[in-house]
Amino acid sequence: MKIRRLLTLILCAGAFALAHSQERTALLLNFDWKFRLLQDGEEIAGVQDDALWRTVNLPHDYQMELPWSQRAGGARGFKESRSAVYQNHFKADPSWRDRKVLLDFEGIMTSGEFFINGHRLGVIPYGYLGAEFDISRFLDYDGENIATVVCHVAPSDRSRWYTGGGLFRDVHIYTKNPVSVTRHGLYITTPRISASEAQVALQVEIEGARAQRFDMTLESHIYDPDGREVASGQCDVPKYIKLLVNEVQMPVVSVPSPRLWSCEEPNLYRAEVVLKKDGEIIDRVSDEFGIRTIEFNKEQGFLLNGKKVFLRGIANHHDLGVLGAAAFEDGIERLMKTLKAFGYNHIRTSHNPYSPAFLRLADKYGILIVDELFDKWQQGGSCWVASEPFDQLWYKAETEWIRRDRNHPSVIMWSFGNELQTSESWAGLPTNDWGVTTYRLMKTLSQRYDATRPTMVAMFPARANAIRNDPEWAGNFTPPELSCVTDVAAYNYQYPAYKGYLEHNPDLIIYQSEATVNDLLGPWEGMDRQKMVGLAYWGAVEYWGESNGWPKKGWNYSFFSHNLDPYPQAYLIKSAMTDEPICCVGVQDGKGEEMMWNDNLVGTTFISSHWNRAAGSRQQVYVYTNAEEAELFVNGQSLGTKRNDGTGKGKNRMLWADVEYGNGGEIHAIARTGGREVARHELRTTGKSVRLKVVEEQAGWRADGMNLKYIHVCAVDKEGNMVPTAAAEVKVDLAGEATIHAIDNGDHYTDELFDVNPKTLYKGQVLVVLRSTRTAGNVALTVSSPTLKGCTLKLKTTAVGQ
C-alpha cells in the first residue's frame, strides 16, 4: 500500500479541488517533465525551448541512463558526472490567488538551481535534503508557468560512491494560507508513557503572523492505528510574538491504553492540528507518530519500550539496484520486506539523509534507523559532495534534517558524520581537537529541535591520534578522542578492540556502525550483545560505486545481489538473527576475492545454491545451520555428520571439502537438534532449459503512474525447475497501461544498460520492472527467446481508491 505522509489534508493528483477555501492543498508534480543533458560548460538561466527534449516522469536518476565508462572511475560506479536541465509546464489555478504557493523538492542529485518563469528562486547545495520555494509572486494566472531546474552532479572526485543524478525524489506544489503552520512545523513527542496512558505533547510553529493582534486558536486531535479519535485538546495562540515564527506549546493530551510502536508491532498514531482565525479554519496539518520509549546505557546497550533490543542491521548507500538513486516507494518497501524476512531490524543511512518515503516505510515495517547527515566534515574535496563548504552548510542542513525527521518513531539516533579521524581537514571546524568542538556545536543545535534522541559519529580510524595500521597499532586500545564525548561510541569495524576500549573508558556505549561481511558471524559473535547496542553489516546489499576495478560496477561483497536475490551467506546470517531453524546448502564458485579496506580484510567467497556443475568435478560444499549438527547426502549416500561447534567466523558454518559431483543428481543436508530433524535443504541437477517462466512478485497494481511491478523471468526445464546456468537471450514486449522501467539480469559486471532489450539471462534469470500509467487498464507482458518457448503474463491496473 502506497504511503504519503499526512502533512497535508488533501492529495490532488492532477486536480486542484479545495476541501475548503482556506485549507492547504498538495499537487504531486512528478509527471511530464522535459529533460536534456547539458554539454560541458553549458550554463542555463531561465526558461528554455524544450520542444525537442525528452519527456520523463519522476523520480528520475539520469546517471543510470549514461553509458558505463571505465575512465569515469570505480568510486562513482563508472558513470561520468554530467549536468542536466528539467522543465515542467503547469497552469496556476485561480484558487491559488492570495495564497502562499510553494514549489517543494524533496531532493536533487547532487545540487541544483531553481527557476520559475525565468525568475531565479535559489539553490539546493546538498541534494540529499530538500527545500521549498515561494513562487506566489511569480505565477502567471492567465498563461502557462514553467519551472526550470538545473541539476549539477558533483565531479567524480567529490564523492566516494554512486550518487545518482537528477530529480530523484518527489516534487510537489503546496498552497496554503499566508498565516499557517511552517515547513516541518508540527513536532510530536510522548514525554510519559505507561500501560494505562501516554502523554502526547505537540509543538506547532506558525508563520505569517508576527506580532499579530487578532485571535487564533489551535485544536489537536489524536487518532489511533484504527483511525479512531482517542484524544483532543485546544489552546489560544499567544499574541504579540515578535519572532518570525511563533512556537506554540499545546496542552499535553493523554492517550488511554496506548498501543506501543515496536519492531514486531509498529503501531502508528496520527496527530492532526487545526489552526483557526476568528473561528474559521485557515490551516490543517497532520503527521504520523509512534508511542514508544528508547534508552541507551552501558549496561544493556539499547532498550525499546524498556526491553533489550540488539540492532541487527545493514549500512548501505541509498541506491536501489536497477532503480539507481530514484526513490521509488515500491523499491524501498521491497528492500525492507526482504531484510525483515531475514531477521534484520535496523538500517544505518550511510552517509546521508535518505528520502522521506524511506523513513515512512521504516515506521510502517518496524525498522530501527540510525539517521546520518554527512560523510566527512570537509570544506570540499573527495568526501564532500555539497556545493557549499561544511562551515557554511552544516547548521542549515542539520536544521532541515532534524526538523524533517524528528517525528519518525523508527529514528532512534542522530549520526552527524562518518570516519572523520583520518585527517584534521575531515574533522570540521579548525579547532585542533579531532572534531570534538564541532560535534558539541552540532549536538547543541540538534537539541534545539529534538532532545529525545542520542547523537553519534561513526569512527575510523578506531584509535586515538588517528593511528591506523602501523607499528603504533599493536596493543594500543585507546579509543578515538571524539568517540569518548559522543552519546554513543560508534565504531566502524575493529570489534576485537572493543574490550580494550572499555578498559580505557568503561562508560562507553558501543555500537558497531559498520561490520565486514567477509567475517560472516565474526562481528556478531565478537560483540557483547547483552551490553552493546548492535551492528550494521557494511554493503550487505550490493550497490553501485566503490568498485575495486573494471568491469565490476560496484560493491559486491554482499549477502544480497543488487536485485535482492539472497546469496547462501544470507541464510547464515539469518541463522543467527532469528530463532527459525535454518539449513542451507551452498557450493563454492571459484576462489573469491579479498582486499584491504579501512585496515580490514574485506571480500567474499562466491557461493551459490545449485547443483549444475561440471561433470567429474569436485566441489566445496558448505552447510549453514543453527541446529546442533548437519548430515550431508549426495545421491542418497551420507557423507557424514558434523557438529555445529564452530566459533566466531566459523559459527553455524560447516564445510565438506572435495565432494565428488560425478554426473550430478541431488545433494541435500539434514539439520538436527537433539537428534530430531529441524530443517533440510535439497539441490537437484536440472534438465536442459526448454521454456521461459514469468512470475509477478507482488499482488495488486495501482494506476497512479508511480506504482512499480517486479516481474521475474527465468528459464526452466521440462519439469518446471529453474535452470541456473541458462544464458539464453530474452526479449520483453509490453502492451497496455504500463511502461518498461528497466530490465536487469543481475550481472554486476555487465556493460549493458537497463534499457537493453533483448537481454541475456544471467544465472538463469532476468528481472523486469514495470511502471503503471495513470489510466487503469489491462497490461500484457510477453517474453520470447530464439531458443526457448515464450509465454505471456496478463495483468491489470486498478484506479486509485478501488
Side-chain angles (χ1 to χ4, degrees):
M1 176 179 176
K2 188 174 183 180
I3 302 171
R4 291 286 174 203
R5 184 175 232 186
L6 298 172
L7 283 172
T8 59
L9 177 66
I10 306 166
L11 175 61
C12 305
F16 294 66
L18 296 177
H20 190 286
S21 62
Q22 292 290 307
E23 294 186 33
R24 63 175 60 200
T25 67
L27 168 69
L28 181 64
L29 203 68
N30 277 5
F31 305 105
D32 301 323
W33 285 80
K34 295 294 185 177
F35 168 83
R36 76 171 176 89
L37 291 171
L38 296 179
Q39 301 300 313
D40 290 344
E42 184 179 0
E43 295 185 2
I44 295 293
V47 176
Q48 304 294 302
D49 181 358
D50 58 19
L52 300 179
W53 298 8
R54 284 175 55 203
T55 299
V56 299
N57 294 327
L58 310 183
H60 179 232
D61 176 6
Y62 66 79
Q63 290 287 108
M64 288 300 282
E65 303 168 354
L66 299 180
W68 306 106
S69 171
Q70 186 173 1
R71 69 180 182 180
R76 297 289 284 275
F78 299 108
K79 295 286 189 176
E80 300 281 358
S81 296
R82 297 287 301 274
S83 294
V85 58
Y86 294 83
Q87 288 195 157
N88 188 276
H89 300 243
F90 64 93
K91 294 283 188 178
D93 191 272
S95 64
W96 295 357
R97 293 182 186 272
D98 301 321
R99 295 175 63 78
K100 196 168 189 177
V101 183
L102 302 169
L103 185 56
D104 183 282
F105 296 86
E106 291 185 358
I108 186 171
M109 275 290 101
T110 52
S111 64
E113 304 171 77
F114 301 85
F115 304 82
I116 188 75
N117 296 331
H119 299 278
R120 190 174 190 271
L121 300 171
V123 301
I124 294 180
Y126 185 54
Y128 292 109
L129 290 168
E132 65 182 18
F133 301 99
D134 188 345
I135 61 174
S136 309
R137 62 193 179 98
F138 303 119
L139 289 174
D140 182 350
Y141 286 93
D142 298 318
E144 189 175 56
N145 294 276
I146 301 177
T148 305
V149 179
V150 181
C151 173
H152 303 290
V153 173
S156 59
D157 61 353
R158 293 285 298 277
S159 178
R160 301 182 295 120
W161 59 84
Y162 176 80
T163 60
L167 293 175
F168 74 123
R169 295 180 184 163
D170 290 346
V171 177
H172 288 88
I173 292 178
Y174 295 116
T175 76
K176 64 178 186 175
N177 194 294
V179 178
S180 56
V181 179
T182 66
R183 174 180 177 83
H184 313 314
L186 173 59
Y187 179 35
I188 310 164
T189 57
T190 51
R192 293 186 61 184
I193 301 172
S194 68
S196 59
E197 68 173 10
Q199 292 184 347
V200 179
L202 304 180
Q203 176 181 291
V204 183
E205 301 167 15
I206 301 170
E207 64 182 358
R210 185 180 184 184
Q212 104 275 1
R213 298 175 182 271
F214 47 83
D215 292 330
M216 290 194 294
T217 59
L218 282 168
E219 296 177 359
S220 65
H221 304 273
I222 308 298
Y223 299 90
D224 72 8
D226 297 321
R228 297 176 301 220
E229 184 171 353
V230 291
S232 63
Q234 182 176 324
C235 71
D236 294 329
V237 176
K239 297 180 182 180
Y240 314 119
I241 302 299
K242 293 185 179 181
L243 293 170
L244 290 176
V245 174
N246 189 350
E247 296 183 2
V248 182
Q249 306 291 336
M250 296 196 68
V252 172
V253 298
S254 294
V255 171
S257 303
R259 294 155 65 178
L260 301 185
W261 185 95
S262 67
C263 298
E264 297 75 26
E265 296 183 54
N267 294 304
L268 291 172
Y269 285 74
R270 181 168 62 89
E272 180 183 83
V273 169
V274 177
L275 177 63
K276 292 182 177 180
K277 176 186 175 184
D278 297 328
E280 182 180 10
I281 296 175
I282 60 172
D283 200 13
R284 187 193 307 258
V285 297
S286 66
D287 204 0
E288 290 182 320
F289 69 99
I291 298 175
R292 55 98 174 107
T293 64
I294 60 172
E295 180 184 352
F296 292 78
N297 62 53
K298 64 181 180 180
E299 290 82 18
Q300 295 173 286
F302 171 65
L303 293 90
L304 179 64
N305 301 323
K307 298 178 181 178
K308 165 66 182 179
V309 174
F310 189 76
L311 301 187
R312 311 183 301 269
I314 72 167
N316 257 64
H317 293 305
H318 70 152
D319 74 66
L320 295 167
V322 67
L323 304 179
F328 284 94
E329 291 190 9
D330 295 302
I332 299 167
E333 186 171 40
R334 186 170 179 261
L335 168 66
M336 291 187 178
K337 285 182 174 180
T338 299
L339 293 176
K340 287 281 282 192
F342 278 80
Y344 295 86
N345 65 7
H346 162 53
I347 297 172
R348 172 184 167 219
T349 67
S350 312
H351 304 292
N352 44 260
Y354 282 18
S355 68
F358 191 95
L359 296 183
R360 291 196 297 270
L361 288 162
D363 293 344
K364 176 183 176 181
Y365 286 103
I367 301 287
L368 301 167
I369 300 295
V370 170
D371 200 352
E372 195 151 275
L373 178 58
F374 294 132
D375 188 18
K376 280 59 168 173
W377 300 339
Q378 281 186 292
Q379 302 307 318
S382 61
C383 304
W384 187 253
V385 74
S387 61
E388 291 182 3
F390 173 83
D391 60 0
Q392 296 179 24
L393 178 67
W394 73 268
Y395 57 94
K396 294 178 288 186
E398 183 178 344
T399 299
E400 167 71 10
W401 169 61
I402 298 280
R403 285 166 51 82
R404 188 196 74 163
D405 295 350
R406 59 189 174 177
N407 288 340
H408 290 282
S410 59
V411 175
I412 60 169
M413 186 156 43
W414 305 117
S415 175
F416 295 152
N418 174 68
E419 296 179 350
L420 310 177
Q421 200 160 340
T422 298
S423 167
E424 285 186 86
S425 66
W426 291 1
L429 303 177
T431 53
N432 197 42
D433 58 2
W434 297 116
V436 170
T437 298
T438 302
Y439 164 77
R440 285 176 171 154
L441 289 170
M442 296 180 79
K443 179 178 176 178
T444 298
L445 182 60
S446 76
Q447 290 181 323
R448 165 68 178 89
Y449 297 108
D450 176 64
T452 69
R453 297 170 175 89
T455 58
M456 57 158 267
V457 176
M459 294 306 301
F460 183 84
R463 296 292 191 278
N465 197 34
I467 294 174
R468 298 195 61 168
N469 192 12
D470 56 36
E472 296 176 271
W473 185 281
N476 182 345
F477 293 109
T478 306
E481 291 83 351
L482 182 54
S483 71
C484 293
V485 299
T486 54
D487 295 330
V488 172
Y491 301 113
N492 291 350
Y493 316 108
Q494 306 304 329
Y495 62 89
Y498 296 167
K499 182 179 179 180
Y501 291 173
L502 288 170
E503 291 175 358
H504 178 85
N505 187 340
D507 292 328
L508 295 176
I509 303 170
I510 292 180
Y511 161 58
Q512 189 173 179
S513 38
E514 291 178 20
T516 174
V517 300
N518 193 47
D519 278 347
L520 302 174
L521 289 177
W524 173 271
E525 290 294 300
M527 297 187 74
D528 185 337
R529 297 195 299 279
Q530 295 306 309
K531 293 185 176 182
M532 295 180 182
V533 171
L535 86 172
Y537 277 103
W538 180 257
V541 180
E542 291 176 351
Y543 59 83
W544 308 114
E546 290 195 298
S547 167
N548 63 330
W550 179 266
K552 185 168 67 173
K553 304 309 186 298
W555 182 276
N556 69 338
Y557 303 149
S558 306
F559 300 141
F560 300 89
S561 77
H562 65 253
N563 282 337
L564 295 181
D565 294 321
Y567 296 122
Q569 294 95 320
Y571 293 92
L572 170 64
I573 305 304
K574 183 177 182 178
S575 74
M577 288 187 174
T578 72
D579 295 327
E580 177 186 338
I582 299 295
C583 182
C584 178
V585 178
V587 184
Q588 184 170 328
D589 298 318
K591 294 174 59 177
E593 295 180 8
E594 289 183 336
M595 68 174 183
M596 292 302 297
W597 180 272
N598 282 357
D599 295 342
N600 289 274
L601 186 65
V602 302
T604 190
T605 300
F606 296 112
I607 295 175
S608 57
S609 285
H610 72 82
W611 200 232
N612 284 29
R613 307 288 167 170
S617 62
R618 307 186 77 84
Q619 302 295 327
Q620 314 306 308
V621 178
Y622 290 90
V623 174
Y624 303 130
T625 184
N626 47 12
E628 293 176 353
E629 62 184 28
E631 185 174 7
L632 186 67
F633 297 82
V634 174
N635 296 329
Q637 180 179 352
S638 174
L639 300 189
T641 299
K642 295 195 176 187
R643 297 285 299 174
N644 186 6
D645 53 10
T647 60
K649 183 177 179 178
K651 184 175 178 61
N652 291 359
R653 176 173 173 258
M654 309 168 198
L655 170 65
W656 277 261
D658 296 322
V659 174
E660 186 175 349
Y661 176 74
N663 291 314
E666 68 87 26
I667 183 172
H668 74 272
I670 298 176
R672 303 185 183 93
T673 294
R676 181 178 62 87
E677 178 180 334
V678 293
R680 68 165 58 204
H681 186 210
E682 178 182 284
L683 306 176
R684 285 187 173 272
T685 305
T686 69
K688 180 181 177 181
S689 56
V690 296
R691 63 182 177 87
L692 296 172
K693 181 180 179 180
V694 180
V695 178
E696 62 175 311
E697 190 171 285
Q698 77 274 37
W701 200 5
R702 296 182 315 277
D704 61 0
M706 298 290 293
N707 201 191
L708 302 180
K709 172 71 74 172
Y710 286 81
I711 307 291
H712 293 266
V713 182
C714 65
V716 298
D717 64 13
K718 63 182 181 181
E719 296 180 356
N721 301 308
M722 191 188 86
V723 181
T725 54
E729 184 180 88
V730 174
K731 187 175 187 299
V732 180
D733 291 296
L734 188 70
E737 295 298 336
T739 59
I740 299 175
H741 185 80
I743 306 173
D744 183 23
N745 62 11
D747 183 0
H748 221 56
Y749 295 77
T750 184
D751 294 341
E752 289 185 345
L753 296 178
F754 303 115
D755 60 353
V756 172
N757 188 9
K759 183 81 72 175
T760 302
L761 295 174
Y762 179 69
K763 297 183 179 180
Q765 58 186 339
V766 154
L767 179 69
V768 181
V769 183
L770 307 180
R771 181 173 182 170
S772 66
T773 68
R774 287 177 285 172
T775 302
N778 296 319
V779 177
L781 180 139
T782 299
V783 293
S784 58
S785 170
T787 58
L788 304 174
K789 182 180 179 181
C791 62
T792 297
L793 177 66
K794 293 185 177 181
L795 303 163
K796 188 174 184 178
T797 64
T798 57
V800 177
Q802 289 188 356

